[in-house]
């Protein structure tokens, strides 16, 4: 299934220009959809058209897809994405809005909904929930590794693929494997032509390690401060299923569905299951 009615939009924020896809009726419930790491707005190409009564703005997050990259010297911290979302909401005229997030986008959603609970009406999460955590004893070592990685990145170049199909095949076998159809959708929005073939539009700085990580209690504090209805879809073969102890500590309702980490994008069946789940969630008064 391809998107039947979607509008391409550009959002000129004070500090960056972002691209997005807009789905659903103009009078629908405002929803800002945030994709996962190294993905783009096409992550929601199968899911968003199935959601009822929602005005879904699926962003290319900064550094991804057709959106701008952050200036030299800047980075891609989770709270910087949350800042972007607030500016997007201002431009759309949405004082209050729902968040729909997958993976990294789900983490950003929880950070924002916990930090500013008065702004968020619903929190719909797909196989992602809190920021990655680390023990405080390793903070200095992690900072050093991150600083060195920033220096080393200057001499690196992105891989160039001879054809779109070659890039799609590599994406299928990435850190998180996806179906061919999912890889094609992500490549459709994520690749750009360069001399010798194609490369990904994504900012190379997105691959850098985080210089700082929160403790478990700090990360969970965001989830605990969420005040709106929140529902988490756990992929049976995804990432969160490996952490049952974390799931038990979350104050959100949750549902496990068959499929991998990209279950909402990999095939029509997965998209339909996730849509059914969230249509029921958003329909609750």
């Amino acid at each position: 299934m391809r998107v039947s009615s979607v509008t391409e939009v550009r959002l000129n924020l004070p500090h960056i220009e972002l691209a997005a896809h807009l789905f659903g009726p103009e009078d629908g419930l405002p929803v800002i959809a945030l994709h996962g790491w190294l993905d783009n707005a096409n992550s929601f190409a199968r899911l968003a058209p199935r959601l009822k009564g929602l005005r879904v703005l699926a962003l290319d997050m900064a550094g991804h897809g057709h959106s701008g990259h952050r200036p030299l010297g800047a980075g891609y911290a989770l709270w910087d994405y949350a800042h972007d979302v607030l500016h997007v909401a201002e431009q759309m005229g949405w004082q209050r809005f729902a968040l729909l997030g997958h993976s990294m986008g789900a983490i950003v959603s929880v950070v924002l909904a916990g930090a500013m609970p008065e702004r968020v009406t619903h929190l719909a999460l797909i196989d992602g929930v809190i920021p990655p955590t680390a023990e405080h004893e390793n903070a200095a070592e992690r900072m050093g590794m991150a600083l060195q990685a920033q220096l080393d990145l200057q001499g690196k170049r992105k891989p160039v693929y001879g054809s779109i199909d070659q890039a799609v095949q590599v994406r299928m076998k990435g850190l998180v494997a996806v179906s061919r159809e999912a890889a094609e959708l992500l490549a459709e929005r994520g690749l750009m032509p360069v001399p010798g073939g194609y490369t990904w539009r994504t900012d190379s700085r997105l691959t850098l390690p985080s210089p700082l990580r929160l403790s478990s209690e700090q990360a969970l504090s965001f989830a605990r401060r969420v005040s709106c209805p929140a529902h988490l879809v756990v992929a049976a073969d995804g990432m969160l299923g490996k952490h049952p102890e974390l799931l038990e500590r979350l104050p959100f309702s949750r549902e496990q569905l068959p499929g991998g980490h990209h279950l909402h994008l990999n095939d029509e069946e997965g998209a339909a299951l996730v849509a059914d789940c969230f249509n029921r969630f958003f329909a609750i008064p």
Side-chain angles (χ1 to χ4, degrees), residues 76-105:
Y76 288 90
L78 295 174
W79 35 90
D80 292 326
Y81 287 123
H83 177 249
D84 295 341
V85 172
L86 289 172
H87 276 288
V88 166
E90 293 295 318
Q91 187 161 129
M92 295 296 293
W94 295 345
Q95 180 59 31
R96 303 190 75 226
F97 50 89
L99 290 169
L100 166 61
H102 168 244
S103 195
M104 182 187 76

Side-chain angles (χ1 to χ4, degrees), residues 195-245:
Y198 299 85
T199 194
W200 294 96
R201 296 177 183 274
T202 45
D203 192 330
S204 296
R205 288 173 291 175
L206 292 166
T207 63
L208 291 173
S210 170
L212 288 173
R213 282 193 174 182
L214 304 178
S215 69
S216 295
E217 286 305 309
Q218 286 175 321
L220 282 167
S221 71
F222 288 92
R224 291 173 180 146
R225 196 164 181 259
V226 171
S227 62
C228 66
H231 192 66
L232 168 64
V233 166
V234 177
D237 300 315
M239 294 184 173
L240 284 184
K242 303 171 185 175
H243 303 282
E245 71 289 345

Side-chain angles (χ1 to χ4, degrees), residues 67-180:
S67 284
H69 295 184
R70 300 214 189 277
L72 292 176
Y76 288 90
L78 295 174
W79 35 90
D80 292 326
Y81 287 123
H83 177 249
D84 295 341
V85 172
L86 289 172
H87 276 288
V88 166
E90 293 295 318
Q91 187 161 129
M92 295 296 293
W94 295 345
Q95 180 59 31
R96 303 190 75 226
F97 50 89
L99 290 169
L100 166 61
H102 168 244
S103 195
M104 182 187 76
I107 295 170
V108 174
S109 297
V110 171
V111 167
L112 180 53
M116 303 188 72
E118 70 280 2
R119 298 295 302 271
V120 182
T121 63
H122 300 76
L123 192 57
L125 309 172
I126 304 171
D127 219 44
V129 64
I130 63 170
T133 60
E135 296 303 320
H136 62 275
E137 295 90 349
N138 300 325
E141 181 182 4
R142 170 170 287 279
M143 179 68 75
M145 290 173 59
L147 291 172
Q148 186 60 51
Q150 289 180 34
L151 292 174
D152 294 343
L153 188 66
Q154 297 178 39
K156 294 182 179 178
R157 295 291 180 266
K158 290 190 204 176
V160 174
Y161 304 100
S163 66
I164 292 176
D165 184 67
Q166 183 183 1
V168 164
Q169 290 187 45
V170 171
R171 180 64 187 88
M172 288 171 63
K173 302 171 185 175
L175 183 63
V176 178
V178 297
S179 69
R180 168 169 283 278

Side-chain angles (χ1 to χ4, degrees), residues 5-83:
S5 57
V6 57
T7 303
E8 178 83 26
V9 297
R10 304 292 300 185
L11 300 151
N12 295 301
L13 310 185
H15 60 294
I16 197 168
E17 183 176 297
L18 300 183
H21 278 164
L22 190 58
F23 303 84
E26 291 186 13
D27 61 350
L29 176 75
V31 180
I32 298 175
L34 306 176
H35 60 75
W37 180 61
L38 302 184
D39 291 344
N40 53 59
N42 265 2
S43 178
F44 299 101
R46 282 180 149 149
L47 176 62
R50 299 175 183 270
L51 299 176
K52 300 173 183 176
L54 306 182
R55 183 68 160 171
V56 179
L57 183 71
L59 295 180
D60 282 338
M61 295 167 73
H64 297 77
H66 290 277
S67 284
H69 295 184
R70 300 214 189 277
L72 292 176
Y76 288 90
L78 295 174
W79 35 90
D80 292 326
Y81 287 123
H83 177 249

